[in-house]
Amino acid sequence: MATAAVSPNRMELLRMKKKQQFAQRGHKLLKDKLEGLLKDFTGIVQGYAVLRDQVDSELGELFQQFIVASASMPAEVYRSALAFPECEAELTMTEKLIMNVRVPEFSFAIEGNLLSYGTDGTVVELDQAIVKLGEVLERLVKLAEAEKTIELVADEIEKTRRRVNALEYVLIPQQAETIRMISSKLEELERGNITRLMRIKQLLAM
């Protein structure tokens, strides 16, 4: 603790008290931020868990539909139906703030005709699977958005927690100890001055 280099005078005492007040205000603001981040993080994780379960279930159904479709059609017809899609997927990203943390916001859209093949030789299960694929892709993008948001917010929570702990357990206690040291030195000097004045008074009274 670097208190030995501090000059024990009243100006230094006032300066240290102001620094401690500033540190205490910063500590409170950071604790409020940490609580807000944790609250938002909990909501994001809960939403992610629900979406993850939904996507996992839909992917299982989707693969099953493709398996049924491929088994119900000649291999050449199945491959030909999927060979030349007439649609394009567009993914754009913007940013939003969560407690001053920049997180991604994805927008996904499919333009064109998902069902670009003829009906001759194809089965309804293939139609259902392709339509379902478009829906699942959109939710997969939202899942990726949620995963990245969780990563960024978790990182900010850890950084904020370290700052809170550094203030609470290191800086503020050090400042308090320095203030106590300066106050003790000033009281000691004051007692010494009073003792000298009393001694001088006694000498003058002789």
Side-chain angles (χ1 to χ4, degrees), residues 2-8 176-186:
T3 57
V6 176
S7 301
E177 178 62 25
T178 301
I179 289 170
R180 282 194 295 271
M181 184 273 290
I182 295 174
S183 298
S184 177
K185 290 286 186 181
L186 289 175

Side-chain angles (χ1 to χ4, degrees), residues 14-63:
L14 289 173
R15 189 180 74 85
M16 288 303 303
K17 285 184 175 180
K18 287 180 180 179
K19 286 180 68 175
Q20 188 180 50
Q21 289 173 356
F22 180 77
Q24 288 171 338
R25 285 197 299 268
H27 177 259
K28 183 181 183 306
L29 289 173
L30 284 172
K31 282 200 77 171
D32 290 344
K33 178 184 178 181
L34 182 59
E35 290 175 3
L37 283 170
L38 289 170
K39 182 179 179 182
D40 289 340
F41 184 76
T42 300
I44 294 167
V45 169
Q46 289 174 345
Y48 169 80
V50 172
L51 184 59
R52 181 84 214 190
D53 289 343
Q54 182 182 4
V55 169
D56 286 345
S57 175
E58 289 181 338
L59 282 174
E61 295 174 4
L62 178 63
F63 293 147

Side-chain angles (χ1 to χ4, degrees), residues 49-157:
V50 172
L51 184 59
R52 181 84 214 190
D53 289 343
Q54 182 182 4
V55 169
D56 286 345
S57 175
E58 289 181 338
L59 282 174
E61 295 174 4
L62 178 63
F63 293 147
Q64 186 65 32
Q65 287 175 327
F66 273 113
I67 290 171
V68 171
S70 64
S72 304
M73 298 167 53
E76 297 80 6
V77 177
Y78 181 77
R79 287 194 296 268
S80 176
L82 301 177
F84 303 103
E86 294 180 0
C87 62
E88 292 183 352
E90 181 180 355
L91 178 65
T92 57
M93 188 194 83
T94 56
E95 289 183 331
K96 62 182 179 180
L97 291 176
I98 297 179
M99 297 293 292
N100 291 326
V101 181
R102 292 187 178 277
V103 299
E105 189 169 32
F106 296 143
S107 178
F108 177 79
I110 295 177
E111 297 181 356
N113 183 19
L114 280 170
L115 306 178
S116 58
Y117 49 84
T119 58
D120 187 24
T122 60
V123 295
V124 69
E125 286 81 7
L126 182 61
D127 300 347
Q128 294 171 343
I130 291 176
V131 171
K132 187 72 171 178
L133 176 62
E135 298 171 356
V136 174
L137 281 174
E138 185 173 356
R139 279 187 274 276
L140 278 170
V141 168
K142 286 299 177 184
L143 193 66
E145 175 188 306
E147 287 180 349
K148 188 61 179 178
T149 298
I150 288 171
E151 177 187 336
L152 293 170
V153 174
D155 184 58
E156 186 65 20
I157 286 172

